Structure formats: C-alpha cells, structure tokens
Amino acid sequence: MTEAGRACLESAGRYRDNIVAFLREMIAIPAESGREGARCERVRQEYERLGFDDVFFDRLGNVVARIGQGPLKILMDGHIDCVGVGDPAAWAHDPFQGKLEDGRIWGRGAVDELPAIACMAYGAKILGERSVPDGVTLYLTASVMEESCDGYCLLHLIEKEGIRPDVVVLGEPTDLNVYRGHRGRIEATITTRGKSAHGAHCDLGVNALYKMAPILADIEALHTRLRHDDFLGKGSVVATFIECTSPSLNAVPDSARIYIDRRLTAGETVEQAMNELRSLPHLGDAQVELLMYDEASWRGERARQEKYYPTWVLPENHPLVAGVASAVEAVLGKRPAIARWSFSTNGVASMGRLGIPTVGFAPGLEELAHTTGEWIAVEDLVRATAVYSLIPEFLAGRKEQLIAALA
C-alpha cells in the first residue's frame, strides 16, 4: 500500500456509513429494465448532494454527473437496473431490504451492480476534496436498460448525447481485480411450423414440437464443437426457452419456437454463428432469426437494435489496464489479477462497437449475480471507493501514453 493509497482508504473509511446507507436505499427501490425512474431519481439526489459540477438525466434516462473539465475524459459506468427476483420465498433475506448483517449487505443488486454506483460516487467526492487533476474530466453514469440490452445505454450517451469518453471503467463485479474483456453474444430464435389437428386425430396433423426435437439435439452437439480461446474461453450455445401455439391442450401444436443464447469467443462472428444455426442437420424448413430489441426507456425514449453484442478484449499491456491496476495496488498493497468476465457488459458498446478502451473494476463476486444470494462485503465497498478516487490521478499520469494508444 502506498502513502496515497493509505490516505484514500482513510478518506473512504470516513464515508463508510454514507456509502452503506446509499447502497441500501438503492436496493430498497425495485428497478427492472425500463422501470428505473424512482431509483434514478434517488441517484440524482445523491449526486447533487455530493456537489458535482453538473448532474442531469439524458434523454434515455441515464443519470450523468461531471467533475472537472480537462481534455482527458474518463467515464465510470455502473448500470442501475437489475433483473427480477423470481420467487421471493427462495430468498433468505428480503431482496428489497438491503439487509446489513455481519459486515455484509444482502439483496437484489447488492453485487450486480449497485455497489459500483455508490462507490464511484463517493470516490469522486473524495477525489474532488483533493482536487480533480487539471487535465481530467470525470463522468459518472448510473445507466439504464443494461440487463435487457447491454451496451445500448452507452451507445445512446455517446452517439446521441455527444459525451464521448477517451476511456471507460465499468462497475460490473470483478472481486477487486481488473478485467479487460469478455465473450460477445447473440440472441436468436428457431421456429418450426406444423399443422394443427385434434389430439384424438393427431395423425392428421404435423406436430411442430416433434419437428423441434432433433433440432434441440443438433444444438447440444454444436455446443461441443465451438471454438476455444485461451483467454476468453470457449464459445457456447444453449437453448434457453421453448414456446408453441396450439388451439387447445387437446390439439397438435402448429408452431414451436426456441430461444438461443450464443456466446461468441475470440475469432467468432455474428455471421458465422447465424450460419451455424442455419446449417443444423435437422433444421429443414425451420426459420432462424436474430432477435431485435425494441423497448421504451423509463423516460419514453425508444431503444432499438439487433440483439448482437460484440466480443471485445483490451490488450493486457494497454496503459488503461496498467493505470487502473496501479491504483488498485496502491490501495490494496498487492497486484490485482488481470482477467475477464464470463458474462456480458456495457463494454460491448464502448469497446466492442466503438473501440473506446475499456476495463472493469468493482467489488463483488461475479458468480453471485442474478442469484437469490447476492451480497457484498462492507469492507470491499470502502476499498473500492478508495481505488475509484485514485484512478483519475493514475490515468492522468499516463495521459501521454493513453493519447498515443488512442492515436
């Protein structure tokens, strides 16, 4: 731990109760994708109370704060929406209580990824108390609709609101390590058509569900043949949901549809993945389609794009990786692991589509995301806050390297 890291950790410790209270209050406000308004308002209030230079909602509903006005633009992003809770009886703790017990906070969003929003906010507060480096503008975003269409929120901010950062730090859980990429993905459907008939005369019909059965086996076999990458891991494909249409429960279904989750490792493309589905041995006359996302945000802004989310990897020797890792080491006293996520993030837009250098750093275990046992350690909140407060200074010290890497 360096002297600067120790000082930042002490400053973060003084705000421990504020960080905990803010996180618990966010958890207590349900906010699935497209319905984040009340939680966004709570974040806006906190940003304003902390005295940032500018605080506003963009048209999509992202909460944005700005600190400083230098030429090096750093964006720290945490998505504010969460998935649903499923069966409330499956939770040991009320998912919307934000229960504090034995140094841990429990609830939906306690890992994915409300801690980042709280820690980034207070990290920026601590940075402002020291003074933001002259050459830096720091943006904070509490972004919306990530769970339903990861990346669209940052595409909107950059392409429609005109805020284009030079580098991005994501708040998806990394267990206080530094992540530099992940597999991409697509969402697709396969639809079979049949002919309806009364169940008592089923031989007169063509069962769309039966036509789907060998296709499911083809998908299971395809999964075993997909490409492997030493860093990102193996590509994957899985059928996740099935539905059918039928006049009644006593009739042969005349259509069936399965939904496909296809993860793309390095070297795989959306075109390749779709062609693999269209080449399944038993596809026959079934139809394969790439899904479209078309929803309205909580502010009424329309969000529309294909459900394709690019693979991305930032080189390990990039100055953004080095700068964030050095900030972590200054606070924790040890070098963080440099790794990658298994799931997808808003980096599919910033790095995957737009080529903006992106890394991830946050408290929390990735494997707890979307489970009924989400929790975060209070001590990790304090550590993460200290790191976030140092990142802009460490990146400002590498400004020339970053500019060279961006050229």
Side-chain angles (χ1 to χ4, degrees):
M1 182 186 297
T2 66
E3 191 61 38
R6 184 176 293 106
C8 289
L9 197 57
E10 290 175 358
S11 296
R14 289 195 293 272
Y15 285 111
R16 179 193 312 265
D17 291 346
N18 305 77
I19 298 165
V20 167
F22 182 31
L23 174 57
R24 295 182 69 197
E25 288 172 21
M26 286 192 288
I27 291 172
I29 305 170
E32 293 184 37
S33 298
R35 299 191 291 274
E36 306 97 333
R39 190 180 282 169
C40 286
E41 178 59 31
R42 177 64 188 87
V43 174
R44 182 191 65 80
Q45 292 170 1
E46 195 76 7
Y47 283 174
E48 290 184 343
R49 191 181 70 79
L50 291 173
F52 299 145
D53 294 337
D54 194 14
V55 178
F56 61 94
F57 293 134
D58 71 9
R59 295 193 304 277
L60 191 66
N62 298 315
V63 196
V64 184
R66 179 184 59 81
I67 307 98
Q69 51 185 355
L72 177 62
K73 297 179 175 61
I74 302 167
L75 172 65
M76 293 186 181
D77 172 69
H79 72 77
I80 199 167
D81 57 320
C82 296
V83 296
V85 301
D87 179 7
W91 291 74
H93 305 289
D94 184 337
F96 298 119
Q97 182 183 358
K99 184 177 179 64
L100 175 60
E101 182 178 75
D102 297 329
R104 295 178 176 182
I105 299 171
W106 300 78
R108 174 57 81 223
V111 166
D112 188 15
E113 62 181 80
L114 300 180
I117 295 172
C119 296
M120 288 172 176
Y122 279 87
K125 170 68 173 175
I126 294 167
L127 175 67
E129 291 171 350
R130 295 197 307 270
S131 79
V132 180
D134 289 341
V136 168
T137 298
L138 175 62
Y139 289 102
L140 304 182
T141 50
S143 53
V144 298
M145 303 175 83
E146 191 276 345
E147 293 291 2
S148 60
C149 190
D150 35 317
Y152 186 86
C153 45
L154 293 194
L155 277 181
H156 173 90
L157 185 74
I158 295 166
E159 295 184 335
K160 297 185 179 181
E161 303 284 346
I163 297 175
R164 186 181 180 95
D166 297 305
V167 295
V168 174
V169 178
L170 300 176
E172 296 280 6
T174 68
D175 195 25
L176 301 179
N177 293 306
V178 178
Y179 285 8
R180 61 182 183 92
H182 58 68
R183 294 177 300 170
R185 67 186 183 94
I186 62 171
E187 294 180 31
T189 59
I190 298 177
T191 304
T192 55
R193 305 289 179 185
K195 176 183 177 183
S196 185
H198 195 289
H201 302 283
C202 58
D203 291 339
L204 298 178
V206 177
N207 195 316
L209 278 175
Y210 291 173
K211 292 175 71 174
M212 189 65 75
I215 296 174
L216 286 167
D218 290 343
I219 292 170
E220 188 175 14
L222 173 62
H223 172 74
T224 66
R225 304 192 301 269
L226 295 177
R227 182 186 179 100
H228 180 273
D229 178 76
D230 288 342
F231 178 64
L232 293 182
K234 181 181 172 297
S236 64
V237 61
V238 61
T240 60
F241 190 77
I242 189 166
E243 61 190 12
C244 66
T245 60
S246 179
S248 75
L249 294 180
N250 304 106
V252 174
D254 55 13
S255 77
R257 176 175 290 124
I258 57 172
Y259 290 77
I260 305 295
D261 180 295
R262 173 69 162 92
R263 302 285 159 156
L264 307 170
T265 196
E268 295 185 312
T269 67
V270 59
E271 294 81 11
Q272 174 190 342
M274 292 299 291
N275 286 335
E276 287 169 344
L277 294 176
R278 294 186 177 114
S279 301
L280 293 173
H282 297 93
L283 189 71
D285 60 356
Q287 184 177 14
V288 179
E289 292 182 294
L290 182 63
L291 288 174
M292 290 292 300
Y293 184 79
D294 189 359
E295 300 290 341
S297 75
W298 71 269
R299 298 200 82 193
E301 180 81 4
R302 207 75 192 172
R304 191 171 191 275
Q305 72 166 45
E306 288 183 331
K307 287 194 166 187
Y308 160 54
Y309 308 92
T311 305
W312 65 276
V313 177
L314 189 68
E316 188 168 1
N317 63 357
H318 194 280
L320 176 60
V321 176
V324 174
S326 294
V328 177
E329 186 173 12
V331 172
L332 301 186
K334 62 179 182 179
R335 194 72 176 170
I338 309 299
R340 47 79 175 158
W341 291 281
S342 294
F343 57 38
S344 185
T345 75
N346 277 336
V348 299
S350 57
M351 181 71 185
R353 292 185 183 274
L354 301 176
I356 298 171
T358 299
V359 296
F361 168 81
L365 299 170
E366 177 184 352
E367 56 267 32
L368 293 178
H370 297 193
T371 72
T372 59
E374 277 192 79
W375 60 267
I376 195 75
V378 172
E379 284 305 310
D380 283 350
L381 296 176
V382 175
R383 295 184 182 106
T385 299
V387 173
Y388 288 131
S389 77
L390 272 180
I391 286 174
E393 293 181 354
F394 276 73
L395 295 184
R398 289 171 168 78
K399 184 170 63 175
E400 298 306 319
Q401 296 173 342
L402 288 168
I403 291 172
L406 291 168

